[in-house]
Amino acid sequence: MKYAELAELYHVLESTSKRLVKTRAIAEMLAKAPSLELPCLMLLLQGRIFPAWSEEKIGVAAKLVMKAIALAVGRSPEDIEKDWKKTGDLGVTVQQLMGKKRQSTLFSESLSIEKVFNNIQKLATATGEGSVDRKVKLIAELLTSATPLEAKYIVRSVLEDLRVGVGEAALRDAIVWAFFGKQLHLKLNEEKLQLDFGESSREKYNEIVDIVQHAYDLNTDFAEVAKVAKEEGLEGLKKIGLRVGTPIQVMLFTKAADIKDAFEMVGSPAAIEYKYDGFRVQIHKDHDKVTVYTRRLENVTAQFNELKDIVLKHVKADEAILDAEAVGMDAEHKKYLPFQTVSQRIKRKYDIEKMAEKFPVEINVFDVLQYNGKNLLAEPFGDRRAVLIKIIKPLGGKIVSAQQFVTSDLKQAEKFYKEALGVGIEGVMVKSLTAPYQPGKRVGYGAKVKPTMENLDLVIVGAEWGTGKRAGWFSSFSLACQDEDGNFLPIGKVGTGFNEKEDESEEGVTFDEMTRLLKPLILEEKGREVGVKPKIVIEVSYEEIQKSPSYSSGYALRFPRIVRLRDDKPVSEIASLKDVELLFKQQK
Ligand code: AMP
């Protein structure tokens, strides 16, 4: 297939905010894509080359892309940078510059989707001597055969910043429309922009949507889901199962105001568990192989190398998938440590062993999803917990099952909650004993109860260079939540709660660290302000949420303060506008 068709599709996606229009455009493209190209197409549509959980990343900085553009359009990198400062988008910059250059070029080769995919893939694997030059050439090669519109999206794809606003829901629905639309008699009512089912029904449609969603939840790979949908239909999708070694979307929980509220949500009797303040890990044991993923589905096996022995010795199963919270431990004093200390281990590439010694973790297992080849997702939580107790050979400070108490008595439950807070636990999870494990969704099968006003997890979309003693650092950060289509909506700025200097206990976040994290993500610069790729998630506390016309979310935070970096949380899980609205209402 020609890349021109995909570029045209990106253009349509970027020009509308209507989900149905986006879905239809994607579906039409998927329907005509040959099987072999479907996986590449699906990944490119997500602005990816590898599935989310792959260890491989493109990892190309804006500087390198500027060199490639310079080469392709015959200008100096400085010129490109100057223009970039004006547009704030290297994609637009290259599009404009190529537009001018094109007039003198008579014809261009037409690019295929495969060619673009392959060249970008090579960027990820090019390492060692001369790799920078090779990367520049790979990008420039694509740009010289591209039209201005194609160039725009090639550059954005390379930078992993597609900006076309396609969420998981649109991709999922597009797969349904493309491969099951006929069988569903699906039509789009152009005038009303709504779905028309003719002889079929909304129920039937929803059923198929659920099957596609479930397949994705289990393999977290749209490329494979689309291919199976096309080639093997619904039966094939139903066969996509859990695989030890491939991460699945984790179940998410709702919030409850208090224990009573939580009981009403999940039913009684309920299981009440400590809510450990660490970071979530999904542990896959496949005989003598152990793989560890974060909830972002990042592979952190190497960073937590010491877990291998522990899991091999203390999980009595040939195969198992466990859902757990890894909590930093002060081994000497048998105390839990703040999240921040462990989170450093996620990022580490060097001195992994030293870090493991300095910041050991205790694994608190709270669920089991697969045991010796048996998929347990549909089993009631009470039964899954029984399996968990059977297979975990606990060893304090290394691996234990989550503290749990089952009761239907509200008073007893409240007592357990108070005692938990008393020993320094941040809250409790109240869980239904009869519920299945529902991957990827925020369902009411479990609710968290915490005493403090809920903090918000937000993404940084901009920053401002500091002055005076903070010169050389970013000192203020623009925050955004997201709407249902994954658009980022600014909600305020935070500059409080950061440390000036690296402190001894290594807790807290410094301006220096923030600056190091954000510098490679800069997209545009205007005076002291910069716009950055929305990648860094932070947890923010605040006094109050206020209505505000100054920010496009319509809200602003009063006295926001950083609590910590949430490098374990994917950007897709930051607070939604709905969350903000709900909290705004609740505070009244
Ligand atoms: P939150 O991140 O505030 O939405 O709270 C849910 C998170 O609490 C989960 O994603 C887990 O990382 C963590 N957690 C800690 N203890 C438990 C537990 N016993 N059961 C489930 N999740 C837990």
Side-chain angles (χ1 to χ4, degrees), residues 364-398:
N364 293 269
V365 186
F366 55 78
D367 219 324
V368 52
L369 319 184
Q370 200 260 31
Y371 167 55
N372 284 355
K374 188 164 189 286
N375 175 342
L376 302 178
L377 296 182
E379 307 280 320
F381 176 56
D383 294 0
R384 298 200 305 275
R385 168 81 185 184
V387 172
L388 197 161
I389 296 295
K390 189 174 92 184
I391 65 175
I392 304 287
K393 209 163 96 196
L395 176 62
K398 300 286 181 212

PDB file of all heavy atoms in Angstrom, residues 364-398:
ATOM      1  N   ASN A 364       3.951  -7.744  47.247  1.00  0.00           N
ATOM      2  CA  ASN A 364       2.681  -8.073  47.893  1.00  0.00           C
ATOM      3  C   ASN A 364       1.707  -8.537  46.821  1.00  0.00           C
ATOM      4  O   ASN A 364       1.164  -7.725  46.075  1.00  0.00           O
ATOM      5  CB  ASN A 364       2.126  -6.841  48.603  1.00  0.00           C
ATOM      6  CG  ASN A 364       3.001  -6.435  49.782  1.00  0.00           C
ATOM      7  OD1 ASN A 364       2.776  -6.884  50.895  1.00  0.00           O
ATOM      8  ND2 ASN A 364       4.017  -5.634  49.528  1.00  0.00           N
ATOM      9  N   VAL A 365       1.510  -9.841  46.759  1.00  0.00           N
ATOM     10  CA  VAL A 365       0.693 -10.396  45.668  1.00  0.00           C
ATOM     11  C   VAL A 365      -0.780 -10.278  46.039  1.00  0.00           C
ATOM     12  O   VAL A 365      -1.183 -10.696  47.119  1.00  0.00           O
ATOM     13  CB  VAL A 365       1.042 -11.876  45.425  1.00  0.00           C
ATOM     14  CG1 VAL A 365       0.303 -12.396  44.200  1.00  0.00           C
ATOM     15  CG2 VAL A 365       2.545 -12.037  45.252  1.00  0.00           C
ATOM     16  N   PHE A 366      -1.571  -9.664  45.133  1.00  0.00           N
ATOM     17  CA  PHE A 366      -2.991  -9.546  45.459  1.00  0.00           C
ATOM     18  C   PHE A 366      -3.911 -10.236  44.455  1.00  0.00           C
ATOM     19  O   PHE A 366      -5.117 -10.286  44.667  1.00  0.00           O
ATOM     20  CB  PHE A 366      -3.415  -8.092  45.694  1.00  0.00           C
ATOM     21  CG  PHE A 366      -3.105  -7.139  44.575  1.00  0.00           C
ATOM     22  CD1 PHE A 366      -3.892  -7.091  43.440  1.00  0.00           C
ATOM     23  CD2 PHE A 366      -2.007  -6.272  44.674  1.00  0.00           C
ATOM     24  CE1 PHE A 366      -3.603  -6.212  42.416  1.00  0.00           C
ATOM     25  CE2 PHE A 366      -1.711  -5.388  43.646  1.00  0.00           C
ATOM     26  CZ  PHE A 366      -2.505  -5.355  42.518  1.00  0.00           C
ATOM     27  N   ASP A 367      -3.351 -10.792  43.391  1.00  0.00           N
ATOM     28  CA  ASP A 367      -4.226 -11.532  42.481  1.00  0.00           C
ATOM     29  C   ASP A 367      -3.411 -12.513  41.656  1.00  0.00           C
ATOM     30  O   ASP A 367      -2.198 -12.349  41.496  1.00  0.00           O
ATOM     31  CB  ASP A 367      -4.992 -10.573  41.543  1.00  0.00           C
ATOM     32  CG  ASP A 367      -6.429 -11.017  41.323  1.00  0.00           C
ATOM     33  OD1 ASP A 367      -6.670 -12.240  41.264  1.00  0.00           O
ATOM     34  OD2 ASP A 367      -7.314 -10.144  41.218  1.00  0.00           O
ATOM     35  N   VAL A 368      -4.087 -13.540  41.143  1.00  0.00           N
ATOM     36  CA  VAL A 368      -3.435 -14.498  40.259  1.00  0.00           C
ATOM     37  C   VAL A 368      -4.344 -14.700  39.052  1.00  0.00           C
ATOM     38  O   VAL A 368      -5.540 -14.912  39.198  1.00  0.00           O
ATOM     39  CB  VAL A 368      -3.090 -15.816  40.999  1.00  0.00           C
ATOM     40  CG1 VAL A 368      -4.303 -16.391  41.722  1.00  0.00           C
ATOM     41  CG2 VAL A 368      -2.541 -16.865  40.027  1.00  0.00           C
ATOM     42  N   LEU A 369      -3.777 -14.566  37.843  1.00  0.00           N
ATOM     43  CA  LEU A 369      -4.587 -14.541  36.626  1.00  0.00           C
ATOM     44  C   LEU A 369      -4.473 -15.839  35.826  1.00  0.00           C
ATOM     45  O   LEU A 369      -5.345 -16.177  35.043  1.00  0.00           O
ATOM     46  CB  LEU A 369      -4.162 -13.362  35.742  1.00  0.00           C
ATOM     47  CG  LEU A 369      -3.873 -12.056  36.488  1.00  0.00           C
ATOM     48  CD1 LEU A 369      -3.552 -10.952  35.502  1.00  0.00           C
ATOM     49  CD2 LEU A 369      -5.042 -11.663  37.360  1.00  0.00           C
ATOM     50  N   GLN A 370      -3.384 -16.537  36.054  1.00  0.00           N
ATOM     51  CA  GLN A 370      -3.175 -17.783  35.336  1.00  0.00           C
ATOM     52  C   GLN A 370      -2.372 -18.694  36.245  1.00  0.00           C
ATOM     53  O   GLN A 370      -1.476 -18.235  36.954  1.00  0.00           O
ATOM     54  CB  GLN A 370      -2.404 -17.491  34.034  1.00  0.00           C
ATOM     55  CG  GLN A 370      -2.523 -18.553  32.965  1.00  0.00           C
ATOM     56  CD  GLN A 370      -1.303 -19.478  32.918  1.00  0.00           C
ATOM     57  OE1 GLN A 370      -0.663 -19.735  33.939  1.00  0.00           O
ATOM     58  NE2 GLN A 370      -1.003 -19.999  31.747  1.00  0.00           N
ATOM     59  N   TYR A 371      -2.736 -19.974  36.260  1.00  0.00           N
ATOM     60  CA  TYR A 371      -2.006 -20.919  37.100  1.00  0.00           C
ATOM     61  C   TYR A 371      -1.877 -22.245  36.350  1.00  0.00           C
ATOM     62  O   TYR A 371      -2.892 -22.825  35.956  1.00  0.00           O
ATOM     63  CB  TYR A 371      -2.758 -21.107  38.430  1.00  0.00           C
ATOM     64  CG  TYR A 371      -2.275 -22.271  39.261  1.00  0.00           C
ATOM     65  CD1 TYR A 371      -0.928 -22.389  39.615  1.00  0.00           C
ATOM     66  CD2 TYR A 371      -3.164 -23.250  39.692  1.00  0.00           C
ATOM     67  CE1 TYR A 371      -0.493 -23.462  40.384  1.00  0.00           C
ATOM     68  CE2 TYR A 371      -2.737 -24.323  40.464  1.00  0.00           C
ATOM     69  CZ  TYR A 371      -1.403 -24.428  40.793  1.00  0.00           C
ATOM     70  OH  TYR A 371      -0.957 -25.494  41.541  1.00  0.00           O
ATOM     71  N   ASN A 372      -0.657 -22.673  36.134  1.00  0.00           N
ATOM     72  CA  ASN A 372      -0.374 -23.929  35.428  1.00  0.00           C
ATOM     73  C   ASN A 372      -1.239 -24.134  34.185  1.00  0.00           C
ATOM     74  O   ASN A 372      -1.914 -25.149  34.035  1.00  0.00           O
ATOM     75  CB  ASN A 372      -0.526 -25.114  36.387  1.00  0.00           C
ATOM     76  CG  ASN A 372       0.688 -25.201  37.312  1.00  0.00           C
ATOM     77  OD1 ASN A 372       1.650 -24.437  37.155  1.00  0.00           O
ATOM     78  ND2 ASN A 372       0.645 -26.094  38.273  1.00  0.00           N
ATOM     79  N   GLY A 373      -1.243 -23.125  33.348  1.00  0.00           N
ATOM     80  CA  GLY A 373      -1.944 -23.243  32.068  1.00  0.00           C
ATOM     81  C   GLY A 373      -3.421 -22.908  32.136  1.00  0.00           C
ATOM     82  O   GLY A 373      -4.090 -22.802  31.118  1.00  0.00           O
ATOM     83  N   LYS A 374      -3.951 -22.736  33.352  1.00  0.00           N
ATOM     84  CA  LYS A 374      -5.386 -22.457  33.460  1.00  0.00           C
ATOM     85  C   LYS A 374      -5.624 -20.950  33.594  1.00  0.00           C
ATOM     86  O   LYS A 374      -5.063 -20.288  34.460  1.00  0.00           O
ATOM     87  CB  LYS A 374      -5.959 -23.180  34.677  1.00  0.00           C
ATOM     88  CG  LYS A 374      -7.482 -23.090  34.754  1.00  0.00           C
ATOM     89  CD  LYS A 374      -8.025 -24.130  35.727  1.00  0.00           C
ATOM     90  CE  LYS A 374      -9.531 -24.243  35.677  1.00  0.00           C
ATOM     91  NZ  LYS A 374     -10.317 -23.237  36.244  1.00  0.00           N
ATOM     92  N   ASN A 375      -6.458 -20.436  32.697  1.00  0.00           N
ATOM     93  CA  ASN A 375      -6.851 -19.030  32.731  1.00  0.00           C
ATOM     94  C   ASN A 375      -7.866 -18.829  33.859  1.00  0.00           C
ATOM     95  O   ASN A 375      -8.926 -19.451  33.870  1.00  0.00           O
ATOM     96  CB  ASN A 375      -7.461 -18.701  31.364  1.00  0.00           C
ATOM     97  CG  ASN A 375      -8.019 -17.298  31.298  1.00  0.00           C
ATOM     98  OD1 ASN A 375      -8.272 -16.656  32.310  1.00  0.00           O
ATOM     99  ND2 ASN A 375      -8.220 -16.819  30.082  1.00  0.00           N
ATOM    100  N   LEU A 376      -7.532 -17.968  34.817  1.00  0.00           N
ATOM    101  CA  LEU A 376      -8.402 -17.808  35.988  1.00  0.00           C
ATOM    102  C   LEU A 376      -9.252 -16.536  35.942  1.00  0.00           C
ATOM    103  O   LEU A 376      -9.959 -16.229  36.901  1.00  0.00           O
ATOM    104  CB  LEU A 376      -7.546 -17.772  37.271  1.00  0.00           C
ATOM    105  CG  LEU A 376      -6.661 -18.982  37.552  1.00  0.00           C
ATOM    106  CD1 LEU A 376      -5.850 -18.758  38.827  1.00  0.00           C
ATOM    107  CD2 LEU A 376      -7.506 -20.237  37.691  1.00  0.00           C
ATOM    108  N   LEU A 377      -9.176 -15.801  34.821  1.00  0.00           N
ATOM    109  CA  LEU A 377      -9.829 -14.481  34.792  1.00  0.00           C
ATOM    110  C   LEU A 377     -11.315 -14.540  35.131  1.00  0.00           C
ATOM    111  O   LEU A 377     -11.848 -13.643  35.773  1.00  0.00           O
ATOM    112  CB  LEU A 377      -9.665 -13.840  33.407  1.00  0.00           C
ATOM    113  CG  LEU A 377      -8.232 -13.518  32.984  1.00  0.00           C
ATOM    114  CD1 LEU A 377      -8.231 -12.849  31.624  1.00  0.00           C
ATOM    115  CD2 LEU A 377      -7.557 -12.622  34.009  1.00  0.00           C
ATOM    116  N   ALA A 378     -11.983 -15.611  34.704  1.00  0.00           N
ATOM    117  CA  ALA A 378     -13.431 -15.670  34.922  1.00  0.00           C
ATOM    118  C   ALA A 378     -13.796 -16.237  36.297  1.00  0.00           C
ATOM    119  O   ALA A 378     -14.948 -16.208  36.700  1.00  0.00           O
ATOM    120  CB  ALA A 378     -14.079 -16.502  33.820  1.00  0.00           C
ATOM    121  N   GLU A 379     -12.806 -16.768  37.012  1.00  0.00           N
ATOM    122  CA  GLU A 379     -13.084 -17.332  38.337  1.00  0.00           C
ATOM    123  C   GLU A 379     -13.393 -16.215  39.325  1.00  0.00           C
ATOM    124  O   GLU A 379     -12.839 -15.125  39.231  1.00  0.00           O
ATOM    125  CB  GLU A 379     -11.853 -18.089  38.860  1.00  0.00           C
ATOM    126  CG  GLU A 379     -11.304 -19.123  37.920  1.00  0.00           C
ATOM    127  CD  GLU A 379     -12.091 -20.423  37.967  1.00  0.00           C
ATOM    128  OE1 GLU A 379     -12.475 -20.834  39.071  1.00  0.00           O
ATOM    129  OE2 GLU A 379     -12.344 -20.984  36.873  1.00  0.00           O
ATOM    130  N   PRO A 380     -14.253 -16.469  40.307  1.00  0.00           N
ATOM    131  CA  PRO A 380     -14.522 -15.443  41.317  1.00  0.00           C
ATOM    132  C   PRO A 380     -13.257 -15.105  42.118  1.00  0.00           C
ATOM    133  O   PRO A 380     -12.411 -15.984  42.329  1.00  0.00           O
ATOM    134  CB  PRO A 380     -15.561 -16.094  42.246  1.00  0.00           C
ATOM    135  CG  PRO A 380     -15.882 -17.414  41.676  1.00  0.00           C
ATOM    136  CD  PRO A 380     -14.991 -17.709  40.531  1.00  0.00           C
ATOM    137  N   PHE A 381     -13.149 -13.847  42.528  1.00  0.00           N
ATOM    138  CA  PHE A 381     -11.946 -13.407  43.226  1.00  0.00           C
ATOM    139  C   PHE A 381     -11.645 -14.284  44.444  1.00  0.00           C
ATOM    140  O   PHE A 381     -10.488 -14.596  44.720  1.00  0.00           O
ATOM    141  CB  PHE A 381     -12.102 -11.937  43.649  1.00  0.00           C
ATOM    142  CG  PHE A 381     -10.945 -11.426  44.469  1.00  0.00           C
ATOM    143  CD1 PHE A 381      -9.651 -11.500  43.985  1.00  0.00           C
ATOM    144  CD2 PHE A 381     -11.156 -10.886  45.738  1.00  0.00           C
ATOM    145  CE1 PHE A 381      -8.576 -11.038  44.738  1.00  0.00           C
ATOM    146  CE2 PHE A 381     -10.090 -10.418  46.496  1.00  0.00           C
ATOM    147  CZ  PHE A 381      -8.803 -10.505  46.003  1.00  0.00           C
ATOM    148  N   GLY A 382     -12.690 -14.691  45.166  1.00  0.00           N
ATOM    149  CA  GLY A 382     -12.488 -15.543  46.343  1.00  0.00           C
ATOM    150  C   GLY A 382     -11.704 -16.807  45.981  1.00  0.00           C
ATOM    151  O   GLY A 382     -10.781 -17.202  46.704  1.00  0.00           O
ATOM    152  N   ASP A 383     -12.032 -17.403  44.834  1.00  0.00           N
ATOM    153  CA  ASP A 383     -11.335 -18.619  44.410  1.00  0.00           C
ATOM    154  C   ASP A 383      -9.912 -18.311  43.950  1.00  0.00           C
ATOM    155  O   ASP A 383      -8.978 -19.083  44.194  1.00  0.00           O
ATOM    156  CB  ASP A 383     -12.086 -19.303  43.252  1.00  0.00           C
ATOM    157  CG  ASP A 383     -13.445 -19.827  43.704  1.00  0.00           C
ATOM    158  OD1 ASP A 383     -13.777 -19.652  44.898  1.00  0.00           O
ATOM    159  OD2 ASP A 383     -14.174 -20.398  42.872  1.00  0.00           O
ATOM    160  N   ARG A 384      -9.759 -17.168  43.284  1.00  0.00           N
ATOM    161  CA  ARG A 384      -8.404 -16.806  42.834  1.00  0.00           C
ATOM    162  C   ARG A 384      -7.496 -16.590  44.052  1.00  0.00           C
ATOM    163  O   ARG A 384      -6.340 -16.986  44.065  1.00  0.00           O
ATOM    164  CB  ARG A 384      -8.433 -15.539  41.962  1.00  0.00           C
ATOM    165  CG  ARG A 384      -9.237 -15.665  40.687  1.00  0.00           C
ATOM    166  CD  ARG A 384      -8.860 -14.622  39.639  1.00  0.00           C
ATOM    167  NE  ARG A 384      -8.925 -13.240  40.090  1.00  0.00           N
ATOM    168  CZ  ARG A 384     -10.033 -12.497  40.094  1.00  0.00           C
ATOM    169  NH1 ARG A 384     -11.179 -13.008  39.669  1.00  0.00           N
ATOM    170  NH2 ARG A 384     -10.003 -11.255  40.521  1.00  0.00           N
ATOM    171  N   ARG A 385      -8.070 -15.969  45.057  1.00  0.00           N
ATOM    172  CA  ARG A 385      -7.307 -15.720  46.277  1.00  0.00           C
ATOM    173  C   ARG A 385      -6.876 -17.059  46.923  1.00  0.00           C
ATOM    174  O   ARG A 385      -5.759 -17.189  47.423  1.00  0.00           O
ATOM    175  CB  ARG A 385      -8.169 -14.902  47.251  1.00  0.00           C
ATOM    176  CG  ARG A 385      -7.646 -14.792  48.650  1.00  0.00           C
ATOM    177  CD  ARG A 385      -6.577 -13.721  48.812  1.00  0.00           C
ATOM    178  NE  ARG A 385      -6.043 -13.758  50.176  1.00  0.00           N
ATOM    179  CZ  ARG A 385      -5.155 -12.920  50.665  1.00  0.00           C
ATOM    180  NH1 ARG A 385      -4.678 -11.959  49.915  1.00  0.00           N
ATOM    181  NH2 ARG A 385      -4.722 -13.040  51.890  1.00  0.00           N
ATOM    182  N   ALA A 386      -7.764 -18.045  46.855  1.00  0.00           N
ATOM    183  CA  ALA A 386      -7.427 -19.353  47.430  1.00  0.00           C
ATOM    184  C   ALA A 386      -6.233 -19.963  46.674  1.00  0.00           C
ATOM    185  O   ALA A 386      -5.325 -20.531  47.299  1.00  0.00           O
ATOM    186  CB  ALA A 386      -8.637 -20.279  47.377  1.00  0.00           C
ATOM    187  N   VAL A 387      -6.219 -19.808  45.357  1.00  0.00           N
ATOM    188  CA  VAL A 387      -5.085 -20.316  44.564  1.00  0.00           C
ATOM    189  C   VAL A 387      -3.808 -19.589  44.989  1.00  0.00           C
ATOM    190  O   VAL A 387      -2.753 -20.188  45.211  1.00  0.00           O
ATOM    191  CB  VAL A 387      -5.330 -20.105  43.046  1.00  0.00           C
ATOM    192  CG1 VAL A 387      -4.083 -20.453  42.245  1.00  0.00           C
ATOM    193  CG2 VAL A 387      -6.527 -20.918  42.579  1.00  0.00           C
ATOM    194  N   LEU A 388      -3.958 -18.278  45.119  1.00  0.00           N
ATOM    195  CA  LEU A 388      -2.811 -17.441  45.490  1.00  0.00           C
ATOM    196  C   LEU A 388      -2.189 -17.921  46.808  1.00  0.00           C
ATOM    197  O   LEU A 388      -0.970 -18.090  46.921  1.00  0.00           O
ATOM    198  CB  LEU A 388      -3.362 -16.021  45.626  1.00  0.00           C
ATOM    199  CG  LEU A 388      -2.488 -14.801  45.630  1.00  0.00           C
ATOM    200  CD1 LEU A 388      -3.357 -13.600  45.317  1.00  0.00           C
ATOM    201  CD2 LEU A 388      -1.799 -14.621  46.930  1.00  0.00           C
ATOM    202  N   ILE A 389      -3.063 -18.147  47.811  1.00  0.00           N
ATOM    203  CA  ILE A 389      -2.576 -18.577  49.126  1.00  0.00           C
ATOM    204  C   ILE A 389      -1.876 -19.929  49.004  1.00  0.00           C
ATOM    205  O   ILE A 389      -0.865 -20.182  49.649  1.00  0.00           O
ATOM    206  CB  ILE A 389      -3.762 -18.686  50.128  1.00  0.00           C
ATOM    207  CG1 ILE A 389      -4.384 -17.306  50.353  1.00  0.00           C
ATOM    208  CG2 ILE A 389      -3.326 -19.311  51.441  1.00  0.00           C
ATOM    209  CD1 ILE A 389      -3.472 -16.302  51.024  1.00  0.00           C
ATOM    210  N   LYS A 390      -2.418 -20.760  48.113  1.00  0.00           N
ATOM    211  CA  LYS A 390      -1.846 -22.095  47.941  1.00  0.00           C
ATOM    212  C   LYS A 390      -0.453 -22.028  47.310  1.00  0.00           C
ATOM    213  O   LYS A 390       0.434 -22.784  47.688  1.00  0.00           O
ATOM    214  CB  LYS A 390      -2.784 -22.913  47.044  1.00  0.00           C
ATOM    215  CG  LYS A 390      -2.426 -24.382  46.966  1.00  0.00           C
ATOM    216  CD  LYS A 390      -3.471 -25.156  46.184  1.00  0.00           C
ATOM    217  CE  LYS A 390      -3.094 -25.223  44.714  1.00  0.00           C
ATOM    218  NZ  LYS A 390      -4.097 -25.880  43.875  1.00  0.00           N
ATOM    219  N   ILE A 391      -0.269 -21.109  46.367  1.00  0.00           N
ATOM    220  CA  ILE A 391       1.005 -21.173  45.626  1.00  0.00           C
ATOM    221  C   ILE A 391       2.107 -20.237  46.152  1.00  0.00           C
ATOM    222  O   ILE A 391       3.262 -20.411  45.820  1.00  0.00           O
ATOM    223  CB  ILE A 391       0.810 -20.937  44.106  1.00  0.00           C
ATOM    224  CG1 ILE A 391       0.324 -19.526  43.803  1.00  0.00           C
ATOM    225  CG2 ILE A 391      -0.148 -21.965  43.520  1.00  0.00           C
ATOM    226  CD1 ILE A 391       0.251 -19.239  42.301  1.00  0.00           C
ATOM    227  N   ILE A 392       1.749 -19.242  46.952  1.00  0.00           N
ATOM    228  CA  ILE A 392       2.799 -18.344  47.457  1.00  0.00           C
ATOM    229  C   ILE A 392       3.349 -18.901  48.775  1.00  0.00           C
ATOM    230  O   ILE A 392       2.610 -19.060  49.740  1.00  0.00           O
ATOM    231  CB  ILE A 392       2.265 -16.917  47.718  1.00  0.00           C
ATOM    232  CG1 ILE A 392       1.625 -16.329  46.473  1.00  0.00           C
ATOM    233  CG2 ILE A 392       3.364 -16.011  48.273  1.00  0.00           C
ATOM    234  CD1 ILE A 392       2.572 -15.913  45.389  1.00  0.00           C
ATOM    235  N   LYS A 393       4.642 -19.178  48.769  1.00  0.00           N
ATOM    236  CA  LYS A 393       5.291 -19.572  50.021  1.00  0.00           C
ATOM    237  C   LYS A 393       5.881 -18.280  50.589  1.00  0.00           C
ATOM    238  O   LYS A 393       6.902 -17.801  50.115  1.00  0.00           O
ATOM    239  CB  LYS A 393       6.402 -20.577  49.690  1.00  0.00           C
ATOM    240  CG  LYS A 393       6.683 -21.561  50.784  1.00  0.00           C
ATOM    241  CD  LYS A 393       7.466 -22.739  50.248  1.00  0.00           C
ATOM    242  CE  LYS A 393       8.951 -22.499  50.504  1.00  0.00           C
ATOM    243  NZ  LYS A 393       9.820 -23.371  49.727  1.00  0.00           N
ATOM    244  N   PRO A 394       5.197 -17.678  51.569  1.00  0.00           N
ATOM    245  CA  PRO A 394       5.576 -16.322  51.964  1.00  0.00           C
ATOM    246  C   PRO A 394       6.943 -16.239  52.643  1.00  0.00           C
ATOM    247  O   PRO A 394       7.332 -17.151  53.355  1.00  0.00           O
ATOM    248  CB  PRO A 394       4.463 -15.915  52.935  1.00  0.00           C
ATOM    249  CG  PRO A 394       3.865 -17.180  53.428  1.00  0.00           C
ATOM    250  CD  PRO A 394       4.095 -18.224  52.374  1.00  0.00           C
ATOM    251  N   LEU A 395       7.615 -15.137  52.371  1.00  0.00           N
ATOM    252  CA  LEU A 395       8.874 -14.848  53.055  1.00  0.00           C
ATOM    253  C   LEU A 395       8.884 -13.335  53.281  1.00  0.00           C
ATOM    254  O   LEU A 395       9.003 -12.555  52.320  1.00  0.00           O
ATOM    255  CB  LEU A 395      10.053 -15.277  52.170  1.00  0.00           C
ATOM    256  CG  LEU A 395      11.444 -14.940  52.707  1.00  0.00           C
ATOM    257  CD1 LEU A 395      11.710 -15.646  54.042  1.00  0.00           C
ATOM    258  CD2 LEU A 395      12.522 -15.334  51.701  1.00  0.00           C
ATOM    259  N   GLY A 396       8.695 -12.929  54.524  1.00  0.00           N
ATOM    260  CA  GLY A 396       8.595 -11.502  54.881  1.00  0.00           C
ATOM    261  C   GLY A 396       9.738 -10.695  54.282  1.00  0.00           C
ATOM    262  O   GLY A 396      10.887 -11.140  54.277  1.00  0.00           O
ATOM    263  N   GLY A 397       9.437  -9.535  53.726  1.00  0.00           N
ATOM    264  CA  GLY A 397      10.475  -8.683  53.157  1.00  0.00           C
ATOM    265  C   GLY A 397      10.794  -9.053  51.719  1.00  0.00           C
ATOM    266  O   GLY A 397      11.472  -8.305  51.015  1.00  0.00           O
ATOM    267  N   LYS A 398      10.321 -10.217  51.254  1.00  0.00           N
ATOM    268  CA  LYS A 398      10.604 -10.635  49.876  1.00  0.00           C
ATOM    269  C   LYS A 398       9.304 -10.806  49.085  1.00  0.00           C
ATOM    270  O   LYS A 398       9.062 -10.112  48.118  1.00  0.00           O
ATOM    271  CB  LYS A 398      11.373 -11.969  49.858  1.00  0.00           C
ATOM    272  CG  LYS A 398      12.692 -11.917  50.561  1.00  0.00           C
ATOM    273  CD  LYS A 398      13.721 -11.153  49.761  1.00  0.00           C
ATOM    274  CE  LYS A 398      15.059 -11.146  50.480  1.00  0.00           C
ATOM    275  NZ  LYS A 398      15.818  -9.932  50.219  1.00  0.00           N
TER     276      LYS A 398
END
